[in-house]
Amino acid sequence: MLSVTRRQFLKLSAAGLGASSLAILGFSPGAVLAEVRQFKLARSSETRNTCPYCSVGCGIIMYSLGDKAKNAPSKIIHIEGDADHPVNRGTLCPKGAGLLDFVYSPNRLMYPEYRAPGSDKFTRISWDEALSKIARLMKDDRDKNFETKNADGATVNRWLSTGFLAASASSNESGYLTHKVVRSLGMLAFDNQARV
Ligand code: SF4
């Protein structure tokens, strides 16, 4: 049997009386609980983005600590669906809902790596070095393999020996530019992770 001292009894009575009085005044427990998340995010910065996983392209809002000043590195603390986004209206599938783990995954690739021919390991290189290397290899391969005519003599202007993998979650603008670059080079093998 539960035994309660006189002091404990008075405390419990005061707490119960306080809670019921608050409810009478309109401060329902539901409203109080609904405010917890907002309080946690109140001092964070919002950045709109697109979920990178699939071609649905759901809108997300990333909340980060820090005011985006250059000397204050920001840290993402929460990601949720963007209620104003026309695609998902604030909803996210389980993959999108777990995006914070994606951001902080120890396996996440953060910089370019290069594996030299014959080597069994990748080494870190700079973005400049990576882009120069890619451009050089693309130019050499295109010069060597570009076809202006097919076997029947018809003009084809195609480059079949290199393909391009883009991102299905790109914005319309970056998707348009990527498409223009790839097709203007004559490249036909062009795909992304969602196969659209
Ligand atoms: S939240 Fe899910 S459905 Fe939406 S883009 Fe991301 S992976 Fe696709």
Side-chain angles (χ1 to χ4, degrees):
M1 188 175 156
L2 183 68
S3 76
V4 181
T5 64
R6 183 167 178 273
R7 189 175 173 79
Q8 285 170 330
F9 175 76
L10 287 174
K11 265 191 181 172
L12 285 169
S13 304
L17 183 64
S20 54
S21 303
L22 285 173
I24 289 167
L25 290 170
F27 298 103
S28 72
V32 173
L33 290 174
E35 288 301 308
V36 171
R37 172 59 54 77
Q38 190 181 342
F39 181 70
K40 177 185 164 193
L41 303 175
R43 301 177 80 79
S44 61
S45 302
E46 289 182 24
T47 307
R48 291 201 144 73
N49 213 319
T50 307
C51 173
Y53 275 123
C54 88
S55 58
V56 175
C58 295
I60 57 171
I61 303 179
M62 301 185 301
Y63 295 87
S64 52
L65 294 178
D67 57 2
K68 297 187 181 173
K70 278 189 178 168
N71 60 352
S74 55
K75 177 178 168 58
I76 299 174
I77 55 167
H78 178 69
I79 297 176
E80 65 185 28
D82 183 351
D84 294 328
H85 198 281
V87 169
N88 56 316
R89 300 283 186 204
T91 61
L92 292 176
C93 79
K95 284 196 295 179
L99 275 175
L100 203 57
D101 293 335
F102 178 95
V103 172
Y104 292 113
S105 167
N107 299 322
R108 183 178 168 192
L109 192 60
M110 306 287 282
Y111 42 77
E113 290 183 312
Y114 174 65
R115 193 183 69 174
S119 171
D120 62 352
K121 62 176 183 294
F122 284 89
T123 49
R124 181 175 180 171
I125 57 175
S126 70
W127 284 100
D128 277 351
E129 202 179 344
L131 291 171
S132 300
K133 196 179 281 291
I134 291 167
R136 180 76 263 160
L137 290 169
M138 286 176 72
K139 173 81 169 70
D140 291 348
D141 188 69
R142 188 172 184 273
D143 287 349
K144 198 167 144 196
N145 297 302
F146 191 76
E147 298 171 9
T148 53
K149 305 271 185 198
N150 65 10
D152 299 326
T155 300
V156 287
N157 288 331
R158 65 192 178 194
W159 177 22
L160 300 178
S161 52
T162 292
F164 199 97
L165 186 65
S168 65
S170 293
S171 64
N172 281 345
E173 292 75 12
S174 61
Y176 177 85
L177 289 172
T178 308
H179 199 274
K180 284 288 176 192
V181 168
V182 167
R183 294 299 187 222
S184 65
L185 291 171
M187 200 184 287
L188 297 188
F190 183 31
D191 207 345
N192 59 54
Q193 77 269 36
R195 312 303 311 273
V196 292

